[in-house]
Amino acid sequence: MRLLIVEDDPDIAEVVRRGLAAGGFDVDVAADGETGLRAAQEHEYAAVLLDIMLPGLNGWEVCRRLRSGRRATPILMLTARDAVEDRVKGLDLGADDYLPKPFELQELLARVRALVRRDRVHRTRVIQVGDVAIDTGARQVTVGGREVHLTTREYTLLEALASHEGRPLTREYILERVWSDDESYSNTVDVYIGQLRRKIDGGRKPSLIQTLHGVGYVLKAGNEEEP
């Protein structure tokens, strides 16, 4: 399974390359944004590890161009920046996850494996998250085997959250990319999240649909509490 690292610091790039290779991955390295973009467009990678501060095209622009070209390859942003607005910007542009520097190689490997696993699972026709099953062909949703009727907006919101399981979606991303609606107010998303929680969660604790304050919403199964 092949990965692409786009990182201009040769020491960091080599440490990451060795760590991922030791984890069983084949790894290509690009030292600038333009080279990384070209490689990601010309080859099929299981995931792209993308630094933000790059010579030439920065990581945000590389991510934007990949997504505008309908490249669905999972993208993990690597950055020394840890401000909420920087994380939100990357997610809005289509990144799947982020990891601030400095980081432990074990955590990096875990994040990469999770991205690759989710991408592989969500290419199937039925998306399963906990006891929620989404048949994307029939646009049918069941919770614990019981069919749940959703409006069109509720369904598209749930499918987007499930397709990005464990990865937060911002309100702006939902409005502009999920609903293709740039006229509604951001609190419209909050209203639909509340409706989905009533239909999908039904009061369960912890909720499958969680709020990441200052970032957006995430759907994930398990016993993890909201951050």
Side-chain angles (χ1 to χ4, degrees):
M1 195 171 293
R2 184 167 293 277
L3 305 174
L4 173 65
I5 302 170
V6 189
E7 167 63 66
D8 65 316
D9 186 312
D11 294 329
I12 293 176
E14 180 60 17
V15 168
V16 173
R17 187 196 67 77
R18 289 182 180 178
L20 293 171
F25 292 99
D26 296 320
V27 183
D28 292 340
V29 178
D32 61 78
E34 291 182 0
T35 303
L37 175 62
R38 187 164 55 251
Q41 290 172 330
E42 294 177 354
H43 305 284
E44 292 294 331
Y45 290 102
V48 175
L49 286 68
L50 181 61
D51 188 35
I52 287 182
M53 305 306 293
L54 294 167
L57 297 178
N58 63 36
W60 285 318
E61 181 62 15
V62 172
C63 181
R64 187 193 68 78
R65 293 193 188 186
L66 287 175
R67 292 302 187 241
S68 64
R70 300 194 179 280
R71 279 281 177 174
T73 308
I75 296 175
L76 174 64
M77 303 290 282
L78 303 177
T79 175
R81 303 186 181 202
D82 195 26
V84 169
E85 57 268 23
D86 291 319
R87 300 199 298 268
V88 169
K89 182 173 181 177
L91 294 169
D92 275 343
L93 290 172
D96 298 284
D97 201 358
Y98 57 85
L99 187 60
K101 300 175 183 177
F103 49 79
E104 296 292 333
L105 281 174
Q106 286 183 331
E107 181 178 6
L108 176 64
L109 271 169
R111 296 283 190 101
V112 169
R113 287 178 180 134
L115 284 179
V116 171
R117 182 172 61 250
R118 289 166 188 162
D119 184 59
R120 185 170 58 245
V121 169
H122 290 149
R123 289 179 188 272
T124 61
R125 187 167 180 259
V126 176
I127 303 174
Q128 184 84 39
V129 181
D131 64 350
V132 178
I134 304 169
D135 186 326
T136 60
R139 296 174 71 87
Q140 183 181 58
V141 177
T142 59
V143 178
R146 175 181 58 86
E147 185 173 357
V148 176
H149 296 283
L150 302 178
T151 66
T152 298
R153 279 208 169 190
E154 289 169 350
Y155 174 83
T156 53
L157 175 55
L158 179 64
E159 183 181 317
L161 288 167
S163 297
H164 295 78
E165 180 191 353
R167 293 166 281 174
L169 300 184
T170 65
R171 292 174 178 85
E172 291 76 15
Y173 182 96
I174 292 168
L175 283 171
E176 296 173 8
R177 301 203 177 198
V178 177
W179 291 338
S180 299
D181 178 2
D182 56 4
E183 295 183 356
S184 294
Y185 295 106
S186 62
N187 63 2
T188 302
V189 178
D190 303 341
V191 172
Y192 278 93
I193 286 288
Q195 293 174 186
L196 267 185
R197 279 182 172 143
R198 286 191 291 273
K199 293 183 178 183
I200 300 300
D201 284 318
R204 83 172 89 201
K205 298 293 182 179
S207 173
L208 281 178
I209 303 171
Q210 299 183 13
T211 303
L212 293 183
H213 298 289
V215 179
Y217 297 102
V218 62
L219 180 73
K220 58 181 177 180
N223 297 318
E224 299 177 57
E225 296 291 339
E226 293 184 17

